[in-house]
Amino acid sequence: MSIAVTFLVNGECHTVAVEPFDTLVDVLRDKVRLTGTKKGCGVGDCGACTVLLDGKPVNSCLVLALDAADASITTIEGIAKDGELSAVQKAFISEGGTQCGYCTPGMILSATALLERKPDPTSDEIKDALAGNLCRCTGYSGIMRSVSRCSNYQSDGTCAKPSHPLPKRDKSESDYRPSSGECGSVGVSIPRVDAGDKVTGRAIYTNDIALPNTVYGKILGSPIAHGYVKKVDTSKAEALPGVLAVLTGKDVPDTMYGVSPARYDEYVLARDKVRHVGDEVAAVVAVDERTAEAALELIDVEYEELPAVLDPYEAASEGAPLLHERYKRNINTHVDQSFGDVEAGFAESYLIREETFTGNHIYQSPLEPHATIATWEHDGTLVLYTSTQVPHYVQYMMAHVLHIPLGKIRVIRPTVGGGFGGKAETTPLDLCAAIFSKKLGRPVKMVYSREEMFHHGRGRHKQHMKFKIGVDREGVIQSFASEIYLDGGAYSSFGVATAYYAGSVLPTLYRFPNYAYDGYRMMTNKPAAGAMRGHGVPQPRFAFECLLTMVADDLGIDPIEIRRRNAMTPNTMTVNEMDVGSCEFLRTLEAVNEKVDWNEKYGKLEKGKGIGIGCGGFVSGAGYCIYRGQVQLSHEKGREPFQKKSTFPHANAIVKISEDGMAAVLMIGAAEIGQGSDTVLTQMCAESLGIPSSRMRIRSEDSDISPLDLGAYSSRVTLMAGHAVSRAGVAIVEKLLPYAALLLDCDPGIIEAHNGRMFVRGDESRCVAWEEVARKYFNDNGPLVGTGAYKPPDGLGGDHKGSSVGTSPAYSFGSAVCEVSVDLETGKVAIDKFTDFHDCGTPINPMAVHGQVEGAVVMGASETILEDVQFDDKGRILNPNLHGYLMMTIKDAPEIFSGLVDSYEPRGPFGAKEIGEGSTLPVLGAVAHAIANATGVWIKDLPITPEKILRALQEKRDSPETTLADAKA
Amino acid sequence: MYMPSVEFHQATTLPEAFDLLQACGPSTRVLAGGTDLLVDLKAKRVTTDHVISITRVGELKGIALDNGSLRIGALTTITQLDESPLLEGGFDPIRDAARLMAVRQIRNVATIGGNLASAVPCADLPPILIAMNARVHIASRDGEREVPIKEFLLDVRKTALDRHDILSAITVPQPPPQFGAAYERFGLREGNAIAVAAVAAGIRLATDGTLETATIVLSAVSPIPKIALQASSIVQGQHPSDDLFARAGEAARGEADPISDIRGSASFRRDLVAVLVQRALKKAVERAGGDVL
């Protein structure tokens, strides 16, 4: 029974019909239509739905709308006054306080409430005020800078002159290099191009879109980990008023899909078997989401339960339950690689050490849940709005499953609230929504709940690693052998690539003369593991970094010194045939060494304090496309054999100049998911056009507008899409040169375009306005359009099986030092300080680079000490929520210094390489080493929890050796 | 995650609330701040046909000092508790616990009454309130009765409230001279953490510096906060010292009755109890003006 209620929102009265059980967030979003208030978890764990009630921040998902009826409500849309942003909003723009933007409205409201209460807060007060707002992108550093900047806050939302000096970012040598004028601003920390929308609540995410006549779908997940689906009775659900249609396995195409073409093994909905708790069995569409949710409970499914296998070693054992007939002994992928002569290397070694390490189940947990809206146009075009990192692969996979040509699918990627690899695949939401929408002839929206996100999975593979290293007397690596069991979950997902990545990127950081890798990706009855930031590499990198430090300790060599002795050098072909070009790894080592005063601290700290080193690096874009051969024409096309060259460009751009020459519109399909690609691509394109970046607009969200780009994965966008946009810019300039030459009366070959002007090289006084030349071009020829494309170099990689994985035009490098305090009585770790120096080539936007590093530090530290998806013995997730799955809050995050070393990558645009994924890699090892340094015990299985530390300390105390040593002392 | 379709009622006075309780069935739930109940309803951990919101019942609001003892209305939010000047001084330990709870968005809405009536084992306020000898006031049609808080909490999610009752207030007696209390807890992260183990201690020093009385309350390591009788008696009559507190901690380790769950094993929780008991006692003695040897 709905009641008409008047709400006072941002000073305006809104009278809407409310159900007594409606929570405030739903009324604000769906009825008042203010969508700046975000839904992240629904149960008060994330803070994305924070609004102010009478000036106090509350989670609007935990407030009944009726209880808010007599309060004054402030949402993010009410913070700017008459179009003038508040001081907090401005600071979030200028200080890098926003990335994906999904937490930003809540953050800004919490910060504003704090500043209203305490105009000059201490940093502890800021942290306390923001502890209820989770952020997965920024590492909270930019947010701390933003709020700290607003000291002396006034009630009108402005700041008086700061009463104390603003916190300044400690800049490294190559930061904020002076740009040549304002021009395209390559190398300059310009604010994100989307920041203004993100701080005001104007950024539109998929779930914020309300197409007329939309209906809502939900998917039923399996309650058991393994079993046959015997019978699905949907009659009761269909009878529920408001339910429009129900789908089961028999209603969906008999086409399997997935990521790696050789291992398509998923159906849209289970046809015969379920293989993990949450495996999709049936779907419902109804007039609203609530009804659809209720209908799921009315579907009766009869299962014949099978024994489940949850451990990769058990999965491989004789007689273990088999998940898929096609994967014998549950081996999904076996990697068997050997380079050089590993046994001879060990034979020549002075010291050999073998250790076993275990990783953890990490889930990306982007703040924005996956969401999709599908709608079909009358000409048979499918329009899909989806929260994805890979619009093209979604388009490709929809074409494959739905049996329609790629060209009949238009994918729109609205603002995406973070991905980290968790949105790098086509989801059952995309497919079910499209199928429902076709059936009903109206738009269908489907959104995962936080719990469903965990059950859908695709997080980091938990890896079980047996490593063996052989070194000479000086610590120089002679041989390295690894055996890794990857816990793959129930489907392939990215797993084939993951299994190869787990081995192939290790030799790009240190020189391995001999190297063997034996990898097994195993099927288990858990949600499929997929690709997560650092794809396959972070856990082996953690293990290797720990092992290298152990060896250094054994030999009495400083852990930084042993890294120097083994460090990768520029222009090296690795033992596994990865082609390393620019490499300033040594410089990053020297830089952290100096910055933290390593020699003054290492081995000299008081009990409970620790310092540790970790290093890492990653590919700047995968050398090959996920699918082989040419771009997909339709579903009928067969698989093509692997060729050692790119058969089509991986990144493509179009630039169109407005008819008056005053604006340039950049069209590229590269997916902005919060990492900042729209901004750096704008900068690079403007630079090559020779105009200020403020004249650019970027359209990256619509496949009808922008040409193909493979998307945001493998840290590929800066390098690959960067080339495409730069080339498109150059193409425009080339078209303009003859016209400029006419206007300037000179040879076209001596004209330069820069900062909105075209002039004679060496004599800038002989110039003409850029727009004037562009106008002339249009008047004579019509549209001024330039295109650019990028193909990775041909021939990357060796000839061995799996040689394509890990290939890249360029590699990044980084070194990090972590400083911790450990409470030796409880095992609790506080990560105090983190210092990172990176070789990301020449940075396009240093603030964006630091933002990636800061975010990676906190994500990496969080997964090292806190995060783990836990399962019971029936394969049920014990913590599919953000109060059980613990991610660092602002109170847990360390103080971070991010620095860059001078570097130039000849294969990158403007000398640039990647930063997004590589920045994760040094973190885990550095944290683990710092803890070992503080406690005297190595914890070799992640996460390094207080309980594990305490147990290890007790074991050490109780061991006979210690007792003997104590007796001697 | 949506709320189920329950019948929703709003009471504006206590008598109205009693009438509604009478009229609705036994599964009826009372809604105060809602930060527990709405989550439970959305997650379908709680099913009910009727929810009665008491957020507008004025009689349940406000904090007052009465002859030195503190009366806290059940609808007092955790933030109000934290910010009330009436808590300054002797009632500081309650404020400590309030500040450790959840996050500001929750503290702005969650109430002291809800924190008690939910009776979840890891709640932050009950242990310190027990250590400070608080009493719970229960209103019903028949008037108000009061029980010591340790008799109020019966089991996990079970209290002395009967279906016609409303928790109306909590009173905390004025701490006697040379009294000190402290709350120490362990959470896995710094922000928005749930107690894995917690200990509250309330002690009174005799004029000779020995511990005249001591109440050590263990929390999150038993279904309801548990008074560690052995540990308490070990310290009673003794001069405070690290060694003494270590022995008390060891005794409390045995008295705890923890479970193993995703946050930690039972044995880890016992280890934590041993440490937290020492820390809480030490802080309580310091607050009472005593010295720890």
Side-chain angles (χ1 to χ4, degrees):
Chain A
M1 180 195 61
S2 55
I3 309 155
V5 180
T6 303
F7 293 92
L8 182 63
V9 187
N10 303 327
E12 293 167 9
C13 289
H14 295 264
T15 303
V16 292
V18 168
E19 298 285 346
F21 43 74
D22 280 341
T23 49
L24 183 57
V25 63
D26 292 319
V27 169
L28 289 172
R29 288 176 53 83
D30 301 340
K31 295 180 176 163
V32 185
R33 285 299 297 150
L34 292 175
T35 54
T37 305
K38 300 301 176 200
K39 285 173 90 166
C41 70
V43 289
D45 294 329
C46 76
C49 68
T50 300
V51 299
L52 306 186
L53 270 195
D54 292 328
K56 288 199 172 74
V58 301
N59 290 314
S60 59
C61 69
L62 291 187
V63 173
L64 286 180
L66 285 181
D67 277 342
D70 44 14
S72 162
I73 301 163
T74 308
T75 70
I76 188 66
E77 291 88 348
I79 294 295
K81 299 278 179 265
D82 299 327
E84 175 70 14
L85 303 188
S86 77
V88 183
Q89 289 173 313
K90 287 180 187 166
F92 268 70
I93 294 174
S94 65
E95 296 295 329
T98 181
Q99 287 188 22
C100 86
Y102 208 74
C103 75
T104 307
M107 280 289 179
I108 288 178
L109 287 162
S110 285
T112 302
L114 165 73
L115 291 162
E116 297 277 356
R117 217 159 28 88
K118 293 214 157 113
D120 238 333
T122 64
S123 80
D124 280 348
E125 284 167 342
I126 296 173
K127 287 179 182 176
D128 187 62
L130 302 184
N133 295 84
L134 291 177
C135 169
R136 195 62 159 162
C137 298
T138 65
Y140 303 103
S141 300
I143 292 165
M144 279 303 288
R145 283 195 296 276
S146 305
V147 183
S148 306
R149 233 198 121 80
C150 298
S151 58
N152 231 330
Y153 185 85
Q154 313 279 302
S155 57
D156 62 355
T158 63
C159 287
K161 210 163 168 255
S163 55
H164 48 76
L166 291 178
K168 267 219 172 87
R169 166 193 284 292
D170 202 355
K171 290 185 184 112
S172 67
E173 42 178 317
S174 64
D175 261 21
Y176 302 92
R177 70 188 56 239
S179 110
S180 36
E182 69 177 275
C183 198
S185 334
V186 160
V188 179
S189 293
I190 64 164
R192 299 176 62 97
V193 296
D194 53 6
D197 284 344
K198 285 177 172 173
V199 301
T200 51
R202 290 173 58 130
I204 305 290
Y205 299 78
T206 304
N207 195 16
D208 299 337
I209 297 168
L211 300 178
N213 205 25
T214 297
V215 288
Y216 302 83
K218 287 301 286 182
I219 298 178
L220 178 70
S222 164
I224 61 168
H226 200 188
Y228 291 112
V229 179
K230 303 305 276 187
K231 208 171 119 195
V232 186
D233 181 356
T234 61
S235 55
K236 274 185 271 175
E238 282 165 59
L240 184 72
V243 170
L244 302 168
V246 181
L247 288 179
T248 68
K250 65 178 175 15
D251 309 313
V252 297
D254 185 14
T255 303
M256 289 204 277
Y257 74 103
V259 177
S260 297
R263 306 275 198 292
Y264 288 164
D265 53 14
E266 297 184 62
Y267 284 112
V268 178
L269 295 169
R271 291 174 72 87
D272 53 344
K273 250 184 132 179
V274 287
R275 297 182 176 87
H276 65 90
V277 173
D279 207 355
E280 289 88 354
V281 176
V284 172
V285 64
V287 291
D288 57 36
E289 200 177 16
R290 233 169 145 269
T291 307
E293 231 177 49
L296 293 183
E297 290 174 36
L298 301 175
I299 298 174
D300 289 323
V301 187
E302 196 184 302
Y303 297 99
E304 179 189 329
E305 197 163 350
L306 294 166
V309 59
L310 303 170
D311 174 89
Y313 289 110
E314 266 172 43
S317 65
E318 203 69 49
L322 201 60
L323 272 85
H324 300 258
E325 284 299 321
R326 62 194 284 198
Y327 305 132
K328 301 302 172 204
R329 286 184 56 222
N330 290 314
I331 300 170
N332 169 258
T333 304
H334 178 213
V335 186
D336 181 11
Q337 294 181 336
S338 186
F339 307 99
D341 188 338
V342 176
E343 284 317 312
F346 283 124
E348 283 161 25
S349 295
Y350 168 74
L351 175 81
I352 292 172
R353 186 156 178 170
E354 285 181 82
E355 294 287 345
T356 300
F357 299 88
T358 313
N360 41 352
H361 284 295
I362 299 300
Y363 182 57
Q364 291 90 348
S365 298
L367 263 287
E368 182 213 17
H370 303 65
T372 303
I373 303 167
T375 181
W376 293 75
E377 297 190 343
H378 289 295
D379 66 355
T381 301
L382 167 64
V383 183
L384 191 76
Y385 300 75
T386 183
S387 173
T388 185
Q389 325 179 201
V390 287
H392 172 69
Y393 288 125
V394 170
Q395 197 182 25
Y396 176 83
M397 200 47 61
M398 299 298 287
H400 169 77
V401 178
L402 301 177
H403 301 245
I404 51 174
L406 198 78
K408 294 297 274 183
I409 300 168
R410 177 182 174 198
V411 175
I412 298 174
R413 173 203 53 77
T415 313
V416 173
F420 315 106
K423 295 176 180 168
E425 302 173 42
T426 306
T427 64
L429 296 181
D430 297 326
L431 290 158
C432 287
I435 295 167
F436 273 136
S437 172
K438 181 148 202 186
K439 199 174 163 118
L440 299 173
R442 55 201 290 198
V444 174
K445 183 191 272 192
M446 296 181 75
V447 183
Y448 274 147
S449 69
R450 186 57 56 178
E451 186 174 341
E452 288 163 346
M453 290 169 75
F454 277 92
H455 284 131
H456 173 63
R458 325 284 150 161
R460 203 185 284 310
H461 285 69
K462 176 173 179 160
Q463 299 184 38
H464 302 257
M465 298 160 283
K466 284 188 186 140
F467 280 14
K468 180 177 175 184
I469 192 170
V471 297
D472 70 9
R473 237 171 241 278
E474 272 68 51
V476 176
I477 299 165
Q478 304 299 308
S479 210
F480 177 69
S482 64
E483 180 200 272
I484 301 180
Y485 273 71
L486 297 96
D487 193 342
Y491 297 102
S492 287
S493 175
F494 274 89
V496 183
T498 318
Y500 282 99
Y501 265 121
S504 64
V505 179
L506 286 184
T508 64
L509 188 63
Y510 304 110
R511 293 183 309 268
F512 289 3
N514 304 293
Y515 174 46
Y517 166 48
D518 199 15
Y520 297 88
R521 183 183 188 269
M522 304 304 303
M523 309 304 302
T524 56
N525 292 109
K526 298 184 204 169
M532 179 175 165
R533 200 175 198 173
H535 196 181
V537 193
Q539 293 184 3
R541 174 55 63 206
F542 146 79
F544 188 86
E545 291 299 300
C546 291
L547 184 58
L548 191 61
T549 301
M550 290 174 187
V551 166
D553 286 350
D554 291 342
L555 294 171
I557 301 174
D558 179 88
I560 290 186
E561 178 56 28
I562 201 169
R563 286 169 168 80
R564 267 190 210 113
R565 293 179 188 176
N566 289 289
M568 182 52 58
T569 44
N571 306 316
T572 303
M573 184 66 78
T574 70
V575 67
N576 60 339
E577 295 177 81
M578 301 295 156
D579 185 3
V580 174
S582 68
C583 170
E584 300 297 343
F585 178 32
L586 266 174
R587 277 198 184 185
T588 68
L589 265 176
E590 301 310 341
V592 281
N593 184 24
E594 191 184 322
K595 178 81 190 165
V596 303
D597 274 331
W598 176 265
N599 297 330
E600 295 309 306
K601 289 180 183 165
Y602 188 64
K604 297 170 186 162
L605 299 174
E606 60 183 286
K607 226 177 156 192
K609 297 273 180 193
I611 186 165
I613 175 95
C615 301
F618 201 60
V619 301
S620 287
Y624 297 93
C625 176
I626 291 175
Y627 61 87
R628 305 303 184 204
Q630 302 198 350
V631 73
Q632 177 90 344
L633 295 176
S634 77
H635 67 280
E636 289 151 339
K637 200 163 184 301
R639 280 178 54 211
E640 290 179 34
F642 175 59
Q643 302 174 51
K644 275 184 74 177
K645 60 180 189 157
S646 290
T647 46
F648 64 91
H650 291 192
N652 302 278
I654 300 173
V655 177
K656 187 189 87 173
I657 306 302
S658 68
E659 288 70 15
D660 65 354
M662 288 303 291
V665 181
L666 168 60
M667 295 170 262
I668 180 153
E672 169 65 76
I673 59 171
Q675 85 282 38
S677 62
D678 274 3
T679 305
V680 295
L681 295 177
T682 295
Q683 287 175 272
M684 286 187 270
C685 189
E687 192 79 31
S688 62
L689 282 166
I691 59 172
S693 54
S694 55
R695 286 202 200 170
M696 302 264 330
R697 288 195 294 274
I698 182 164
R699 294 267 67 89
S700 60
E701 70 279 9
D702 188 340
S703 68
D704 264 12
I705 295 175
S706 307
L708 181 157
D709 180 277
L710 292 182
Y713 71 100
S714 76
S715 240
R716 56 177 293 286
V717 176
T718 299
L719 191 147
M720 298 193 178
H723 271 306
V725 303
S726 305
R727 287 170 185 173
V730 168
I732 295 265
V733 173
E734 275 167 7
K735 285 186 177 177
L736 290 179
L737 285 177
Y739 293 87
L742 263 173
L743 292 167
L744 290 169
D745 191 21
C746 69
D747 186 272
I750 59 163
I751 295 174
E752 265 184 50
H754 189 70
N755 223 0
R757 293 180 313 152
M758 298 189 85
F759 52 84
V760 175
R761 190 174 304 127
D763 181 8
E764 292 197 28
S765 64
R766 281 179 71 194
C767 68
V768 57
W770 199 99
E771 60 272 21
E772 201 181 312
V773 187
R775 251 193 322 266
K776 174 138 189 67
Y777 181 97
F778 177 78
N779 287 332
D780 288 7
N781 299 286
L784 175 51
V785 175
T787 66
Y790 175 79
K791 278 187 184 188
D794 286 342
L796 290 177
D799 291 322
H800 54 277
K801 191 176 173 219
S803 59
S804 65
V805 182
T807 58
S808 178
Y811 296 84
S812 70
F813 301 89
S815 301
V817 167
C818 176
E819 293 169 72
V820 300
S821 307
V822 181
D823 181 335
L824 297 174
E825 291 182 323
T826 63
K828 178 96 169 256
V829 174
I831 301 191
D832 301 323
K833 233 177 137 178
F834 209 94
T835 307
D836 177 282
F837 273 88
H838 241 82
D839 162 15
C840 65
T842 304
I844 305 300
N845 183 324
M847 180 164 78
V849 168
H850 295 310
Q852 287 296 296
V853 172
E854 290 157 349
V857 165
V858 170
M859 184 182 270
S862 187
E863 72 176 273
T864 313
I865 66 170
L866 288 174
E867 299 179 27
D868 196 15
V869 181
Q870 299 188 46
F871 294 85
D872 70 6
D873 59 3
K874 296 270 187 196
R876 291 175 295 215
I877 301 178
L878 294 166
N879 53 348
N881 50 58
L882 298 178
H883 56 266
Y885 184 83
L886 298 179
M887 308 193 303
M888 279 188 170
T889 71
I890 196 168
K891 281 187 172 176
D892 301 275
E895 181 193 331
I896 300 167
F897 173 85
S898 162
L900 301 171
V901 297
D902 276 336
S903 171
Y904 186 90
E905 169 55 54
R907 279 178 168 174
F910 303 97
K913 299 193 279 194
E914 75 89 32
I915 189 67
E917 300 193 56
S919 47
T920 308
L921 288 157
V923 183
L924 289 73
V927 174
H929 181 208
I931 294 171
N933 184 244
T935 59
V937 289
W938 280 99
I939 309 297
K940 297 183 292 173
D941 60 327
L942 297 171
I944 304 174
T945 60
E947 180 163 3
K948 288 178 192 169
I949 292 171
L950 214 55
R951 286 291 162 268
L953 285 170
Q954 283 163 354
E955 272 167 35
K956 192 184 170 196
R957 249 195 320 271
D958 299 343
S959 82
E961 281 169 47
T962 318
T963 323
L964 197 65
D966 286 348
K968 278 184 191 160
Chain B
M1 291 263 259
Y2 288 88
M3 287 277 294
S5 311
V6 292
E7 283 275 343
F8 183 80
H9 314 270
Q10 254 177 341
T12 48
T13 63
L14 268 181
E16 252 180 65
F18 298 140
D19 288 347
L20 284 164
L21 280 170
Q22 179 70 35
C24 304
S27 74
T28 302
R29 301 296 298 238
V30 173
L31 177 80
T35 54
D36 276 336
L37 183 59
L38 295 195
V39 174
D40 286 343
L41 287 168
K42 285 184 179 191
K44 302 182 176 66
R45 273 194 297 269
V46 165
T47 50
T48 178
D49 295 329
H50 297 275
V51 168
I52 302 171
S53 167
I54 54 167
T55 49
R56 290 166 194 228
V57 177
E59 299 104 295
L60 303 177
K61 297 185 179 177
I63 309 178
L65 266 181
D66 179 19
N67 258 338
S69 98
L70 194 67
R71 184 184 165 100
I72 309 164
L75 286 182
T76 303
T77 65
I78 309 304
T79 299
Q80 287 164 349
L81 204 55
D82 176 12
E83 290 175 353
S84 169
L86 298 180
L87 267 76
E88 249 157 55
F91 300 108
D92 267 341
I94 300 174
R95 183 181 288 191
D96 291 350
R99 283 182 185 168
L100 286 170
M101 252 183 82
V103 294
R104 189 156 280 275
Q105 286 94 323
I106 301 288
R107 297 198 295 266
N108 282 339
V109 180
T111 65
I112 186 170
N115 198 246
L116 263 63
S118 292
V120 294
C122 56
D124 284 302
L125 293 179
I128 192 67
L129 290 171
I130 293 172
M132 297 187 72
N133 302 308
R135 298 176 78 80
V136 178
H137 296 247
I138 299 169
S140 72
R141 283 201 166 157
D142 308 328
E144 193 175 272
R145 64 185 194 277
E146 57 172 281
V147 293
I149 182 166
K150 54 189 181 232
E151 288 168 29
F152 175 77
L153 298 166
L154 302 179
D155 202 347
V156 179
R157 295 173 185 268
K158 253 179 94 176
T159 66
L161 288 172
D162 133 329
R163 58 167 285 227
H164 301 289
D165 291 338
I166 301 267
L167 193 165
S168 55
I170 288 91
T171 50
V172 191
Q174 182 173 32
Q178 295 203 286
F179 177 87
Y183 179 62
E184 289 284 330
R185 73 166 203 167
F186 180 91
L188 289 169
R189 65 178 177 189
E190 284 304 297
N192 208 2
I194 294 166
V196 179
V199 171
I203 62 101
R204 189 179 175 182
L205 294 174
T207 44
D208 64 355
T210 58
L211 290 151
E212 189 174 305
T213 63
T215 310
I216 298 169
V217 188
L218 315 182
S219 186
V221 291
S222 55
I224 50 172
K226 181 171 186 179
I227 297 181
L229 293 172
Q230 263 183 301
S232 304
S233 70
I234 283 174
V235 298
Q236 238 150 35
Q238 304 294 316
H239 277 285
S241 73
D242 285 339
D243 179 55
L244 177 73
F245 293 167
R247 277 190 285 132
E250 283 311 307
R253 176 201 298 274
E255 290 182 85
D257 180 21
I259 56 161
S260 294
D261 65 10
I262 56 167
R263 292 182 193 87
S265 70
S267 71
F268 177 55
R269 285 190 157 95
R270 287 184 194 277
D271 290 346
L272 291 174
V273 163
V275 174
L276 296 175
V277 161
Q278 300 176 54
R279 293 180 182 180
L281 281 170
K282 197 165 177 175
K283 193 164 175 193
V285 167
E286 281 164 8
R287 271 200 166 131
D291 291 319
V292 181
L293 297 173

